[in-house]
Amino acid sequence: MLEVKDLKASIAGKEILRGINLSIKPGEVHAIMGPNGSGKSTLANVLSGREEYEVTAGSVSYFGDDLLEFAPEERAQKGIFLAFQYPVEIPGVSNVYFLRTALNEIRKANGEEEIDAAAFLKMIRKKMELVEMEKALLNRSVNEGFSGGEKKRNEIFQMAVLEPKLAILDETDSGLDIDALRVVADGVNTLKSKENATIVVTHYQRLLDYIIPDFVHVLYKGQIVKSGGKELAFELEEKGYDWLK
Amino acid sequence: MSSETEELESLANQEYKYGFVTDIEADALPPGLDEGTVRAISAIKKEPAFMTEWRLKSYKKWLKMEEPKWPKVEYPEIDFQDMVYYSAPKTTPKYESLDEVDPELLKTYKKLGIPLEEQKILAGVAVDAVFDSVSVATTFKEKLSELGIIFCPISEALQNHPDLVKKYLGSVVPATDNFYAALNSAVFSDGSFVYVPKGVRCPMELSTYFRINAQNTGQFERTLIVADEGSYVSYLEGCTAPQRDENQLHAAVVELIALKDAEIKYSTVQNWYPGDENGKGGIYNFVTKRGICHENAKISWTQVETGSAITWKYPSVILKGDNSIGEFYSVAMTNNYQQADTGTKMIHIGKNTKSNIVSKGISAGKSNNSYRGLVKVMKSAENARNFSQCDSLLIGDKCGAHTFPYIEVNNTSGKVEHEATTSKIGEDQIFYCNQRGLDTEQAVSLIVNGYCKEVFRELPMEFAIEAQNLLSISLEGSVG
């Protein structure tokens, strides 16, 4: 579904990604690991279309289309979901209203009818259980005053509702205690299917105890320097990143 | 929340139920203003002698006054001798069908969710016989008169209830108050009068919105609302649909009187023509709005201001009676070259008086948006409380937001709190919305509506959704 070829990208003139190659098929879980500053978050942002990042070379094909041609909202409508490393607060906009607007925009873009209020409420109730989210968070403003764990849980909750084809989790494990980590991972695992794929961007191996990847890629200085199976993550945990440099 | 929204939407999409018409017929006066003009207006309206005298006194005072220069707005000098101070309302429709109306205007009506029949009225199209607003108005009036509520044009009130008008007119905003109030007092054309008797709770929102001839009440509108002891009334003014007018200057006066234990809720949505994107044309809106609260009374002003080239407006409350409450909730949005200088005055005189101010300014384009507010606690006002929150939101980097809070406290038991914030819509907020499938225009509209939520929830339900839509339309083209 996703073919990244020799992708180069920079921010404010500084080259961060220096030729990324990545191939992802439906049903797969890919982990992108690497030390700070290796370009992990940049890759996540470039794939979701953040404007500050300039793609200077290479191509990204998504279900045969040129992904880089699409605006961020079009990518979202086509099933790309980014779970933010730092989820953004939107004061005065209730979580549930935000989510319903998002879902309906995605549905409209795909030629589906807007979901009615009753069906929507029924659906989100189920998804809330999945990520053990408190009901009270639904009517609060988007991420406003949420704890770090609540924000991350809210990202996974949104993912559960929007049912993306390609989910990118950007350091979703950072700042989570072990219980929250388990809940987030359970959510991701439950949502996994043969049709969708997940990219887990993480610094630590810890999350991969809960979300078992099919492939692990090590990113270093803007390039994938090593790829392997899940055992590569354990090796990294043991040896650190230095041996790869 | 979402079921509530649904409810709001369906309510907002209903046809408006109320309206009334009046019969005033006279020719237009020639341009210019002198004593003769004032006498002529009074004579055309067959006003009682006291009213003619009052107008003349106001006129003489106005002659000695100067235009205020302190607001942070700029405009070319106004020639007061070049204006027409009275012209008869037009009764013949401009168009035969909606097909003749500017399609852009119709598009806006549609976005606002204004019902078809109402669109016709707003655009000046002949209305079908099916839609008999006169009979609607009659049932509406009957219901009110059963309760003893008076709701009529002020010209009619001067004929039928001169004592009430005489007692209260100018009692809150004296003719000498300011330049534009004096001018209005001399030449006001018409407006609304409301009287709610003791202990009566007005069962419906009184609204100028649907009055077919409301557009023609002219540039000097006068509104007087009296809520007698223990009564309650909610009044809606204005219209979300874009209002075009040949008159550039509008100087209205609104006076509210809340007697002991009474409550008045006054909501405004103002969307007058703001001029084109280069700042040409557009209406100057110089309004004086003030209310007085007697013992235990409460007055709430809620306003959503998106129109006019220049807005100069400070709905205020004099908290005269002990334990009285004044509230001001405002959203003022400016785009392109619009200028707004708006805020409130809360004058605490009685003991244990409370006031609450929430002001949300939004500036986009090259516009300037100022909040100007006065909180005054008099010596007599033991235990007065005020809380003010003034937030400014900037869209783009060519606009300006300014806050001028004035606080005078003359009683040490008073407690006055002021909070102010200025923020920009963040790129990260927009990208977050984009990444969830919303385009940038929707994202900005969502963020702005969230920012204004505290004010919108004070609006009567049927106004709230339209106000949100209005804000989204006003924001169009402000990003990108």
Side-chain angles (χ1 to χ4, degrees):
Chain A
M1 64 198 285
L2 189 80
E3 291 290 335
V4 181
K5 281 196 184 127
D6 199 32
L7 182 69
K8 293 182 182 173
S10 57
I11 183 164
K14 193 179 171 221
E15 188 166 73
I16 308 281
L17 298 184
R18 301 190 300 167
I20 301 277
N21 290 289
L22 191 62
S23 175
I24 294 174
K25 292 187 185 67
E28 293 177 350
V29 175
H30 289 246
I32 311 268
M33 299 186 70
N36 286 334
S38 56
K40 303 189 297 290
S41 281
T42 301
L43 180 61
N45 278 300
V46 167
L47 291 178
S48 50
R50 190 156 192 148
E51 274 177 28
E52 290 98 303
Y53 297 89
E54 194 194 345
V55 175
T56 51
S59 66
V60 181
S61 139
Y62 177 67
F63 290 106
D65 288 326
D66 179 1
L67 184 70
L68 301 176
E69 283 295 306
F70 298 129
E73 64 270 22
E74 291 172 310
R75 299 183 197 197
Q77 288 156 5
K78 288 174 191 298
I80 291 184
F81 179 93
L82 174 66
F84 282 61
Q85 184 177 4
Y86 305 107
V88 179
E89 298 183 1
I90 310 176
V93 177
S94 80
N95 225 354
V96 66
Y97 180 78
F98 177 70
L99 202 48
R100 189 166 159 225
T101 308
L103 181 64
N104 279 332
E105 282 310 309
I106 292 170
R107 290 175 73 109
K108 268 195 285 183
N110 289 293
E112 293 166 56
E113 278 191 23
E114 292 190 26
I115 190 164
D116 69 66
F120 178 72
L121 282 174
K122 206 172 152 192
M123 187 259 270
I124 60 170
R125 229 169 262 146
K126 264 191 210 154
K127 308 281 183 177
M128 260 168 24
E129 281 169 26
L130 204 65
V131 292
E132 298 175 24
M133 203 163 93
E134 274 177 65
K135 214 179 157 202
L137 293 183
L138 274 185
N139 291 316
R140 283 189 23 206
S141 296
V142 178
N143 293 323
E144 196 187 32
F146 285 29
S147 71
E150 283 170 340
K151 282 183 181 173
K152 295 294 173 78
R153 210 175 282 201
N154 196 26
E155 293 292 290
I156 302 305
F157 169 59
Q158 293 183 16
M159 181 176 115
V161 172
L162 300 178
E163 298 179 334
K165 295 194 180 90
L166 175 64
I168 306 165
L169 312 184
D170 188 7
E171 307 260 6
T172 298
D173 50 335
S174 69
L176 288 189
D177 63 33
I178 208 78
D179 289 330
L181 192 70
R182 182 191 48 77
V183 169
V184 164
D186 281 355
V188 174
N189 289 331
T190 318
L191 296 167
K192 220 176 110 173
S193 79
K194 276 181 195 146
E195 282 82 41
N196 59 31
T198 310
I199 298 176
V200 183
V201 173
T202 181
H203 186 84
Y204 301 106
Q205 184 269 336
R206 193 177 66 150
L207 179 62
L208 304 179
D209 288 341
Y210 299 91
I211 303 172
I212 312 294
D214 301 301
F215 300 94
V216 175
H217 310 278
V218 182
L219 198 59
Y220 181 68
K221 285 190 175 166
Q223 285 179 317
I224 290 175
V225 292
K226 197 169 175 62
S227 295
K230 63 180 182 220
E231 61 294 338
L232 180 56
F234 295 110
E235 217 174 327
L236 287 168
E237 183 75 356
E238 216 173 281
K239 299 186 191 165
Y241 290 108
D242 285 343
W243 62 284
L244 289 165
K245 288 176 187 174
Chain B
M1 168 64 207
S2 50
S3 62
E4 185 194 348
T5 311
E6 292 275 287
E7 194 185 345
L8 279 173
E9 277 175 11
S10 68
L11 272 165
N13 290 332
Q14 282 174 5
E15 288 202 3
Y16 286 82
K17 305 178 208 68
Y18 325 122
F20 56 75
V21 285
T22 50
D23 302 301
I24 313 157
E25 273 183 5
D27 298 313
L29 292 174
L33 178 58
D34 58 18
E35 246 188 75
T37 322
V38 177
R39 282 185 194 282
I41 294 170
S42 197
I44 291 165
K45 297 184 161 289
K46 302 185 182 74
E47 288 176 350
F50 83 87
M51 201 56 231
T52 316
E53 281 311 305
W54 196 74
R55 283 180 183 272
L56 284 171
K57 242 168 86 182
S58 307
Y59 170 69
K60 282 171 191 154
K61 280 168 184 157
W62 176 74
L63 282 177
K64 293 185 196 134
M65 296 170 93
E66 273 179 31
E67 261 183 274
K69 294 288 180 216
W70 47 264
K72 199 176 163 46
V73 294
E74 280 171 35
Y75 54 94
E77 208 167 322
I78 299 166
D79 184 354
F80 291 96
Q81 293 304 333
D82 195 35
M83 278 193 276
V84 172
Y85 288 87
Y86 184 82
S87 64
K90 290 171 202 151
T91 46
T92 45
K94 276 191 280 189
Y95 308 108
E96 281 307 309
S97 84
L98 272 178
D99 302 336
E100 300 166 37
V101 179
D102 179 6
E104 279 300 308
L105 196 63
L106 293 180
K107 227 164 85 187
T108 309
Y109 289 169
K110 210 178 148 198
K111 281 186 200 162
L112 286 166
I114 294 171
L116 200 65
E117 287 304 333
E118 214 167 309
Q119 289 184 20
K120 289 185 183 173
I121 293 162
L122 290 165
V125 173
V127 178
D128 302 353
V130 188
F131 191 70
D132 187 350
S133 58
V134 180
S135 66
V136 174
T138 311
T139 31
F140 172 51
K141 271 196 158 177
E142 270 169 15
K143 207 165 161 188
L144 288 178
S145 68
E146 271 170 35
L147 294 162
I149 297 168
I150 305 165
F151 177 32
C152 64
I154 201 158
S155 54
E156 205 177 299
L158 274 162
Q159 304 300 326
N160 303 333
H161 315 280
D163 295 344
L164 272 175
V165 179
K166 193 176 177 183
K167 187 171 176 190
Y168 292 108
L169 191 74
S171 68
V172 193
V173 180
T176 47
D177 190 78
N178 69 68
F179 183 84
Y180 294 108
L183 180 62
N184 176 289
S185 302
V187 302
F188 73 82
S189 28
D190 213 335
S192 304
F193 176 76
V194 177
Y195 173 80
V196 188
K198 269 184 198 172
V200 171
R201 194 179 166 87
C202 185
M204 54 191 88
E205 315 267 357
L206 298 182
S207 171
T208 55
Y209 184 18
F210 193 39
R211 270 166 42 192
I212 294 166
N213 57 358
Q215 289 159 295
N216 298 314
T217 42
Q219 49 196 141
F220 302 104
E221 199 172 341
R222 187 92 196 188
T223 302
L224 177 61
I225 299 175
V226 183
D228 212 328
E229 291 181 12
S231 69
Y232 168 85
V233 63
S234 168
Y235 188 89
L236 314 182
E237 170 208 50
C239 175
T240 52
Q243 299 275 292
R244 281 167 191 267
D245 197 307
E246 288 145 28
N247 300 314
Q248 191 165 39
L249 174 69
H250 280 247
V253 171
V254 177
E255 293 178 279
L256 309 183
I257 294 112
L259 296 174
K260 194 178 167 215
D261 300 320
E263 182 178 348
I264 303 175
K265 195 171 162 58
Y266 192 104
S267 312
T268 307
V269 171
Q270 185 265 107
N271 185 24
W272 275 332
Y273 185 55
D276 63 17
E277 59 263 44
N278 299 313
K280 277 211 167 157
I283 285 171
Y284 301 168
N285 191 20
F286 302 142
V287 189
T288 307
K289 290 184 165 176
R290 196 176 303 151
I292 188 163
C293 280
H294 292 265
E295 205 182 324
N296 295 320
K298 180 176 173 184
I299 290 178
S300 297
W301 296 102
T302 305
Q303 58 171 26
V304 176
E305 302 273 329
T306 65
S308 295
I310 301 176
T311 303
W312 179 97
K313 179 178 171 185
Y314 316 90
S316 304
V317 185
I318 301 169
L319 297 158
K320 187 181 169 211
D322 293 349
N323 310 311
S324 58
I325 300 172
E327 292 176 334
F328 175 74
Y329 301 98
S330 167
V331 167
M333 151 106 210
T334 53
N335 201 349
N336 298 321
Y337 284 88
Q338 279 179 280
Q339 309 175 62
D341 192 306
T342 181
T344 184
K345 282 192 275 185
M346 293 289 175
I347 314 293
H348 292 256
I349 301 171
K351 294 188 184 92
N352 305 315
T353 46
K354 270 192 258 176
S355 63
N356 193 22
I357 299 170
V358 178
S359 162
K360 302 274 183 179
I362 303 148
S363 333
K366 291 177 177 143
S367 66
N368 256 308
N369 203 328
S370 305
Y371 169 81
R372 190 184 300 276
L374 169 69
V375 176
K376 189 169 183 172
V377 178
M378 310 287 259
K379 239 185 187 145
S380 54
E382 285 289 323
N383 291 315
R385 294 280 177 274
N386 161 266
F387 177 74
S388 306
Q389 187 192 329
C390 303
D391 298 329
S392 308
L393 188 70
L394 302 171
I395 301 171
D397 52 11
K398 291 188 183 71
C399 52
H402 318 272
T403 306
F404 305 99
Y406 304 89
I407 297 168
E408 283 177 40
V409 181
N410 300 310
N411 184 311
T412 49
S413 64
K415 195 174 161 197
V416 175
E417 287 173 78
H418 181 93
E419 280 179 15
T421 65
T422 301
S423 50
K424 273 188 135 182
I425 292 190
E427 291 287 326
D428 54 345
Q429 280 179 323
I430 293 175
F431 179 65
Y432 191 70
C433 296
N434 286 158
Q435 216 301 308
R436 297 298 181 256
L438 282 67
D439 67 31
T440 300
E441 210 152 76
Q442 277 178 308
V444 170
S445 157
L446 184 89
I447 295 163
V448 169
N449 275 308
Y451 165 79
C452 299
K453 196 180 187 180
E454 280 167 278
V455 175
F456 284 163
R457 69 171 170 223
E458 296 297 327
L459 284 172
M461 278 200 279
E462 59 198 78
F463 248 26
I465 290 291
E466 274 193 36
Q468 287 194 25
N469 292 344
L470 172 62
L471 214 56
S472 307
I473 291 170
S474 308
L475 280 164
E476 272 177 13
S478 64
V479 279

